[in-house]
Amino acid sequence: MSIFEYNGSALVAMVGKNCFAIASDRRFGVQLQTIATDFQRIYKIHEKLFIGLSGLATDTQTLHQRLMFRHKLYELREDRDMKPETFASLVSAMLYEKRFGPYLCQPVIAGLGDDDKPFICTMDSIGAKELAKDFVVSGTASESLYGACEAMYKPDMGPEELFETISQALLSSVDRDCLSGWGGHVYVVTPTEVTERILKGRMD
């Protein structure tokens, strides 16, 4: 078993019309044993920028704390929030500088940039970015998430339709992966509001 699969995870971000959604499962396990069913994988950087971290849970929490520290320094120096593209470059640089002993996690970054244009990207554990215009996935359920998102995604969805699509894609995918699941956690972000919802899923 790969160290990235040790705790299990499922992450997906999807783009709509001037909005985006980011969703994760809630299981925290040690290999096949479930430890907790309310684990947080998605973190808010500011009102229009979120990061999801899949991989080894200890490293995801450490990386989140270091990213919050760097973002707060940026806020103090620049007196503004970081753009999603800038934040993605920061995450990539932080991962790459530790490339010989990397943080064992794979981030998914989603945010609203200039003119409320949605931006999503993911990267591997040493910071190689992969940009997308529709959706990005990460975690142990990534293969089934790719299939579900390919089938369900369509461009320019509104916030409610986007929520429905990403939720169905997440729930159907984690049912096909025994290392992730136990419900879901979904954020839908528009220029004016952030909606957070908890999904109930199969508890096995």
Side-chain angles (χ1 to χ4, degrees):
M1 177 182 270
S2 156
I3 190 66
F4 290 98
E5 298 171 0
Y6 187 71
N7 299 124
S9 51
L11 269 173
V12 54
M14 208 176 263
V15 164
K17 190 174 173 61
N18 291 341
C19 61
F20 70 86
I22 182 167
S24 78
D25 71 322
R26 306 185 75 207
R27 178 183 184 270
F28 167 64
V30 172
Q31 294 183 9
L32 298 178
Q33 181 185 12
T34 302
I35 306 293
T37 58
D38 58 355
F39 191 66
Q40 184 183 4
R41 293 188 207 290
I42 300 171
Y43 303 98
K44 181 166 116 179
I45 305 300
H46 60 73
E47 285 302 321
K48 294 184 179 178
L49 179 60
F50 288 76
I51 183 168
L53 295 165
S54 71
L56 193 67
T58 50
D59 281 11
T60 65
Q61 290 174 337
T62 303
L63 186 60
H64 165 243
Q65 287 169 353
R66 300 197 64 180
L67 288 169
M68 287 306 294
F69 166 69
R70 296 288 282 272
H71 182 260
K72 282 173 182 167
L73 280 182
Y74 182 93
E75 261 183 339
L76 286 168
R77 194 178 299 123
E78 302 277 335
D79 201 28
R80 64 193 166 104
D81 286 330
M82 209 181 269
K83 289 180 186 171
E85 295 84 353
T86 314
F87 184 70
S89 298
L90 167 70
V91 177
S92 181
M94 279 182 69
L95 290 171
Y96 191 67
E97 74 181 21
K98 290 272 193 289
R99 63 192 175 277
F100 298 116
Y103 291 112
L104 299 165
C105 55
Q106 294 163 330
V108 166
I109 295 162
L112 290 177
D114 295 335
D115 306 322
D116 296 320
K117 191 168 181 287
F119 169 89
I120 55 169
C121 94
T122 183
M123 53 192 80
D124 66 4
S125 59
I126 55 165
K129 279 191 282 193
E130 183 188 340
L131 305 173
K133 293 204 164 31
D134 44 11
F135 57 83
V136 290
V137 305
S138 174
T140 53
S142 58
E143 285 182 18
S144 46
L145 274 165
Y146 269 122
C149 292
E150 285 288 358
M152 296 179 189
Y153 177 82
K154 60 184 193 215
D156 293 334
M157 288 185 281
E160 281 308 311
E161 192 182 2
L162 184 62
F163 165 71
E164 195 62 39
T165 305
I166 200 168
S167 302
Q168 294 293 348
L170 180 76
L171 289 174
S172 64
S173 300
V174 297
D175 284 351
R176 290 165 177 79
D177 174 44
C178 62
L179 295 175
S180 58
W182 284 81
H185 199 170
V186 185
Y187 290 90
V188 180
V189 181
T190 67
T192 53
E193 64 175 350
V194 177
T195 312
E196 179 185 2
R197 292 187 179 106
I198 301 293
L199 307 175
K200 281 190 175 178
R202 282 179 56 153
M203 298 302 189
D204 61 356

